Amino acid sequence: MSEHSSNNAQKDEVKNDFIRNIIRDDVNAQRYQQIVTRFPPEPNGYLHLGHVKSICLNFGVAKEFGGVCNLRFDDTNPTAEKQDYIDNIENDVKWLGFEWAGEAYHASSYFDQLHAWAIQLIEQGDAYVDLQTPEQIRDNRGSFNEAGTPSPQRDASVEENLALFNDMKDGKYAEGKAVLRAKIDMASPNMNLRDPVIYRVMHQSHHQTGDKWCIYPMYDFAHPLSDALEGITHSLCTLEFEDHRPFYDWVIAKIGFDVPPHQYEFSRLNVDHTLTSKRKLKQLVDEGIVSGWDDPRMPTVAGMRRRGYTPEGLRDFCERVGVTKADSVVDFRLLEFSVRQSLETTTGRGMAVLKPLKVTITNFSDAVSSWETQKADSVNARFDDATQTLWLTQPNHPNVDMGEREIPFTETLYIDQGDYEIEPPAGYKRLSPEKPEIRLRNTYVLAVTEHITDENGNVVELKATIDPATLGNNPEGRKVKGVIHWVSASQGVPATVRMYEQLFSAEDPSGVADVHQALNPDSLTELYAVVEPSLAHADAGTRFQFEREGYFITDSEDHSTDKPVFNQIVSLRDSYKPA
Ligand code: ATP
Ligand code: MG
C-alpha cells in the first residue's frame, strides 16, 4: 500500500540516503578507482518526472563523489524506438543541468560483443537455443508453486546449439520460432532464473545498426553486460528490478569481470494526479488528448519546460523527495512548491489583467496636467502629449536588480473583474460602493464614482477619479487600504493566457482502467487578458510574476509580440507546506 510520504529534505547537509551511504563506504574503503553510474533510458518515448528522479540520483551521486555518469540508450527493442526520442532525451538531460561523460552510449553499439558473449555462454554449456513456441515456453515455465518443465532442447550439444544460434543470426528463423535461453534452473523459486530468454529473432531494422541484425539481445542480458563494459560501479534502478538482480549477477559471474558492477534498487517516484508511464503518456499524445509530448500539462520534461517549470525547481523537488526503498505517493503540491520557490527571486514582475473590467478616469487630463508638481521625488515618469500617456519607470523586481521598464498610464484602464463587487462578501478588501478608494499599483489612488451594469446586473464599466496628489505619495488625512494591479486599455496588449489545473482529476490515474475516465475536463482554460507592453515584448520562454496572479511564461511555440501567449506556471501561493 502506498501512503503520502513526509518528503523531508536534508538540504545543504550531507545526504544520507541508503544509496549514498553505500557509495560513501565504497569510496572510504577505496573499492573503486572512480565512481561510475549511468542513466539508461529506452528511447521509446519522452522523459517524464519519474526519470527526473533517476537522473538527479545518477548524475547527482556521480558528481558528489567525484565520479562520472554515462548516458546510455538501452536500445535493444527497435520496434518502439526512434531517433527523435534520442534527440529529445539528450536535450532534456542537458536542460536539467547535467552532463554525461564523453559521448552518449548505445547498448546497440555493443551488439557484436554481446553476440560474442552469448556464444561464450553456449560454449560453456550455459545457454541453449529453444525451438518451442512462445506459448509452450510460457506454459512450461511452471508457476510459483510448481517447477517448470525443461525444454526438449535443454540438453542439446554445444555444437548443435552453436549451429542453431548461427541459423538464428542468419535469418533462418521467423520471429517466435527460436530463442536463445540461459540455462539456469527450471525449478528456481525466482521465475527470472527459469532459463530466461537472452536473444530473440526480430526481422526489424534498427535506428542505429540498420539491417545488420535480425536477432536482438533481451534487456536483462544486455543491461548487466553494458554496465560491465562501461565500468559502471553502481547500477541504480527502480525496485521492480530487485527480482532480476540474481540474473544480473549470474550473467556478470558467467562472463567474468575483474570489477563487477553492482545493482541497487530504489523506489519509483509516484506523484498523485500524475502518470509516469511512457506507454500511457504516449496514448495521450497518439489520441490527441493533449497537443503533444510537450503539452504544458504533461509530466514530461518537455511539457514541464514549456509550462515554465525550472530545472532548479525540479532538482529541488527530487532532493526533497529523497531516495528510499519505500513505495510512496508524493503530493503534487510539493513539486509546485519547489518550482514556486525557484521563481521568487528570478522572475521580473509585470501587470496583466486576466478578466478585464474597463475603468474610465473622468478627471484624467486635469490630474495628469499637474503630475509633475504633485509627484514624489521617488517617481520617475514622463508624459507623452501625442498619446496622452504617462509613462512610469519602475524596477522589474522590488529587491533584485533586474532592470527597469516603462508602464503606460492612460485615461482608460482595465482592472480585474474580481476587484470590484457591488455586494462584497464579508472581509472583502478591494473595491465596492462602500469602499470606493484603492491604490493602483505603481501609480495614483483611484476612487470609483459610478458603476455601469448590463441588463443582467453585471458590472461592465467603472467611472472613477484619481487623486492628483497621490503619485508616489500617501493621501492627506486618510488611509487607503489595498493595492490592485491594472493595465492601460489603449497601450496594453491583448493576450491569451492559458490557466492550468492537473491533467487528471483521479488521484491515481494509473489505477483507472480507461484513462479517459481519469481526465480533468478543466485542465486547460484560455483567458483573453490584457498585459502591459513590456510583457508582450518579451521573447518566447520568458518567465514573469504577474502581480497578484501568479507565475507565467511566454509560450515557446505560440507566443509573439503581436499575439502574446502566456502559460500559467504556478499560482503565487498555496496553503500547502512541505513537512
Ligand atoms: P516507463 O514505464 O515510463 O517506460 P521505464 O522504466 O520503462 O519507464 P526507461 O527508459 O527504461 O523507462 O527508464 C530509464 C531509467 O529511469 C530506469 O533506470 C528507470 O528505473 C528509471 N525510471 C523510470 N521511471 C521511474 C520512476 N517513476 N521513478 C524513478 N525512476 C524511474
Ligand atoms: Mg523500460
Side-chain angles (χ1 to χ4, degrees), residues 38-42 44 48 50-51 53-54 219 236-238 240-241 266-270 276-279:
R38 86 287 169 268
F39 172 63
E42 185 183 351
N44 61 351
H48 55 59
H51 295 116
K53 174 174 176 174
S54 178
Y219 174 85
L236 312 176
C237 64
T238 35
E240 67 270 24
F241 291 100
F266 61 95
S267 62
R268 289 179 75 84
L269 174 65
N270 302 302
T276 44
S277 149
K278 273 181 283 184
R279 187 176 55 78

Side-chain angles (χ1 to χ4, degrees), residues 58-76:
N58 278 295
F59 286 91
V61 296
K63 199 167 172 187
E64 286 156 43
F65 292 98
V68 293
C69 179
N70 294 348
L71 173 63
R72 181 201 314 143
F73 293 102
D74 247 312
D75 53 353
T76 51

Side-chain angles (χ1 to χ4, degrees), residues 72-86:
R72 181 201 314 143
F73 293 102
D74 247 312
D75 53 353
T76 51
N77 178 11
T79 41
E81 298 166 0
K82 282 200 300 197
Q83 185 62 40
D84 172 58
Y85 294 143
I86 293 184

